[in-house]
């Protein structure tokens, strides 16, 4: 029957393997030929060994592994038409007309553009004798289903992106570890967490770890933030607390748009309060390690739903992104979600924070 290919693109995240596994198994279960495309769009452009047929066993024992076993990349070649032409040829030659893309908004946008261009790509491949008219007729329509894999939880339309929950687990584990040593020495720690332009990881980690202060991009601090910070830290100390934890989202800024860095915060705490202060930058630890139960199940559900969406698609079905809404796996129009996500990025860049938060919705 149908040829389905699954690939992961952009930054990796925990739970991507669960999603890949579900796509493969649901696809096989429904009688499809399922392919892995390795190394993201680069593998699609390069073809050859990068596109291999999957079987039931090839996704055994991956659900618990972090990262993505089929590799991921940020690909430049796919941004050029020549790259997309090769990618189309590689798919047509194998009878792949269904793509499951697991990635962020950039990767989903690329998939949509590819689909819009599909007919013209096939025409050009015929004109240059790279495929036959018969091959074109068999592969007329390209169907796409997306899933969002990212620790940042920065995508519009889904309550949780695949990987966010695991990253939070890793962060609070790290904060708990820091708290024990901070307690011993009555220290203040500044922890920098990821999230790009989104403060979700920082806010939720702060709540879950009873941090004393948090800096996030969506709520830039006022000019007098130093006084406010010091007041809060002193208040906690005089209430008997032996330590302070401050969380800084990597994208945090002040009202003027100047970055708030861990170093700056440390300087304030040392200069004003003379507290013994250390910085811990969590970095890519947050993106590694085993996925949580939540992300495994999320990946499974999303992957299965993506295959169902493809199997139900007719020639003019628009690409969808599989999302979590409440506790339901739902299908939403891919480009609507991407556009809204990009509108959030624009609002953040223009420092229209209320608009950004409103556009982002529940996630
Ligand atoms: O989008 C995931 C993310 O980990 C962000 O939180 C972070 O800003 C970025 O990727 C880091 O990118 P790289 O892995 O290229 O250093």
């Amino acid at each position: 029957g149908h040829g389905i290919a699954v690939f992961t693109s952009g930054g990796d995240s925990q739970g991507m393997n669960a999603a890949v596994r579900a796509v493969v198994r649901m696809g096989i279960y429904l009688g499809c030929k399922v392919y892995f495309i390795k190394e993201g769009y680069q593998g699609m452009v390069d073809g050859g060994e990068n596109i291999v047929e999957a079987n039931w066993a090839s996704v055994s024992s991956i659900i618990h592994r972090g990262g993505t076993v089929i590799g991921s990349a940020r690909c430049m070649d796919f941004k050029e038409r020549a790259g997309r032409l090769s990618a189309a040829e590689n798919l047509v030659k194998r009878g792949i007309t269904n793509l499951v893309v697991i990635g962020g908004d950039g990767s989903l946008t690329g998939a949509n553009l590819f689909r819009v261009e599909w007919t013209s790509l096939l025409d050009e491949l015929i004109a240059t004798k790279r495929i036959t008219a018969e091959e074109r007729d068999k592969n007329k329509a390209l169907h796409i289903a997306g899933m969002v894999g990212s620790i940042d939880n920065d995508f519009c339309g889904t309550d949780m992106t695949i990987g966010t929950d695991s990253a939070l687990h890793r962060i609070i584990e790290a904060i708990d570890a820091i708290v024990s040593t901070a307690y011993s020495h009555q220290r203040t720690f500044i922890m920098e967490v990821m999230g790009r332009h989104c403060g979700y990881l920082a806010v939720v980690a702060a709540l879950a770890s009873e941090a004393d202060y948090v800096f996030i991009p969506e709520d830039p601090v006022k000019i007098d933030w130093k006084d406010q910070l010091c007041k809060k830290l002193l208040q906690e100390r005089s209430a008997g607390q032996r330590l302070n934890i401050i969380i800084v989202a990597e994208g945090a800024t002040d009202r003027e748009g100047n970055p708030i860095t861990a170093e700056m915060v440390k300087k304030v705490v040392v200069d004003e309060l003379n507290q013994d202060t250390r910085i811990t930058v969590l970095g890519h630890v947050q993106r590694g390690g085993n996925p949580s139960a939540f992300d495994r199940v999320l990946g499974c559900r999303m992957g299965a739903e993506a295959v169902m969406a493809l199997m139900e698609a007719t020639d003019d079905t628009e690409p969808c992104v599989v999302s979590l809404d409440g506790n339901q796996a739902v299908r939403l129009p891919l480009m609507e979600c991407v556009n809204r996500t990009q509108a959030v990025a624009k609002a953040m860049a223009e420092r229209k924070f209320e608009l950004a938060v409103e556009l982002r919705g529940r996630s």
Side-chain angles (χ1 to χ4, degrees):
H2 305 269
I4 301 183
V6 58
F7 63 103
T8 50
S9 172
D12 68 351
S13 69
Q14 307 94 326
M16 281 185 163
N17 290 326
V20 168
R21 175 179 178 275
V23 170
V24 169
R25 294 217 165 158
M26 185 55 114
I28 292 173
Y29 177 74
L30 295 177
C32 307
K33 255 180 185 279
V34 187
Y35 294 84
F36 294 130
I37 300 176
K38 298 182 179 170
E39 321 305 340
Y41 285 110
Q42 195 62 53
M44 198 190 293
V45 171
D46 295 345
E49 296 293 292
N50 291 298
I51 308 179
V52 291
E53 196 176 338
N55 59 49
W56 196 264
S58 48
V59 288
S60 289
S61 300
I62 65 166
I63 198 167
H64 63 283
R65 288 170 65 182
T68 164
V69 296
I70 55 175
S72 188
R74 295 194 170 107
C75 174
M76 282 307 163
D77 291 344
F78 196 77
K79 293 198 160 92
E80 308 291 328
R81 185 165 164 102
R84 295 194 291 277
L85 212 50
S86 297
E89 181 180 6
N90 288 327
L91 298 185
V92 167
K93 291 289 179 198
R94 292 168 178 81
I96 298 170
T97 50
N98 296 281
L99 290 180
V100 180
V101 45
I102 311 172
D105 60 330
S107 310
L108 300 185
T109 307
N112 186 66
L113 175 61
F114 193 44
R115 179 180 175 276
V116 169
E117 274 187 347
W118 187 248
T119 308
S120 88
L121 289 170
L122 297 201
D123 287 345
E124 190 173 338
L125 288 171
I126 290 185
T128 49
K129 301 204 167 21
R130 290 164 72 174
I131 63 169
T132 64
E134 195 189 338
E135 280 173 321
R136 177 197 48 199
D137 296 342
K138 277 195 191 152
N139 298 282
K140 268 209 158 112
L142 180 71
H143 299 297
I144 289 170
M147 286 179 255
V148 189
S150 169
I151 63 167
D152 301 335
N153 206 25
D154 57 352
F155 192 80
C156 294
T158 189
D159 294 350
M160 284 292 261
T161 55
I162 301 169
T164 300
D165 184 67
S166 305
L168 277 172
H169 274 277
R170 207 113 301 125
I171 295 169
I172 60 169
E173 210 169 46
I175 301 175
D176 291 349
I178 289 294
V179 162
S180 61
T181 172
Y183 181 94
S184 309
H185 296 273
Q186 301 191 50
R187 278 177 169 158
T188 290
F189 270 84
I190 298 146
M191 318 262 308
E192 187 192 293
V193 301
M194 281 185 165
R196 212 178 287 267
H197 305 298
C198 183
Y200 184 88
L201 288 177
V203 168
V204 179
L207 289 170
S209 65
E210 60 169 34
D212 299 306
Y213 217 88
V214 60
F215 294 89
I216 57 167
E218 295 86 346
D219 187 17
V221 286
K222 295 197 196 72
I223 299 303
D224 64 346
W225 66 272
K226 294 174 186 166
D227 296 338
Q228 276 194 25
L229 171 69
C230 292
K231 212 171 125 199
K232 180 69 167 72
L233 298 186
L234 284 180
Q235 189 186 322
E236 294 300 332
R237 291 279 177 150
S238 60
Q241 200 171 288
R242 288 173 59 87
L243 63 118
N244 291 111
I245 300 291
I246 301 163
I247 299 186
V248 182
E250 63 178 351
T253 67
D254 66 13
R255 287 280 153 107
E256 264 79 58
N258 309 305
I260 298 277
T261 64
E263 286 295 344
M264 282 168 59
V265 177
K266 179 181 174 183
K267 192 168 168 2
V268 172
V269 178
V270 171
D271 291 354
E272 305 294 322
L273 304 178
N274 203 23
Q275 288 180 356
D276 194 4
T277 306
R278 296 289 186 275
I279 292 173
T280 299
V281 178
L282 290 183
H284 288 80
V285 162
Q286 297 161 93
R287 236 165 68 190
N290 303 342
S292 65
F294 180 90
D295 278 328
R296 295 181 198 195
V297 174
L298 184 63
C300 287
R301 293 175 68 188
M302 305 279 109
E305 186 66 21
V307 174
M308 308 272 271
L310 291 173
M311 292 304 98
E312 287 167 24
T314 57
D315 278 4
D316 46 12
T317 306
E318 289 294 310
C320 72
V321 59
V322 180
S323 305
L324 188 70
D325 182 358
N327 199 25
Q328 264 327 97
V330 297
R331 301 169 196 172
L332 299 176
L334 183 139
M335 277 326 284
E336 227 172 274
C337 297
V338 165
N339 290 339
R340 198 145 65 87
T341 301
Q342 286 169 356
V344 170
K346 185 164 173 276
M348 289 296 291
E350 290 169 357
R351 314 192 59 70
K352 296 176 183 159
F353 302 107
E354 275 172 31
L355 176 64
V357 170
E358 189 188 313
L359 282 170
R360 207 184 265 151
R362 218 158 50 191
S363 68

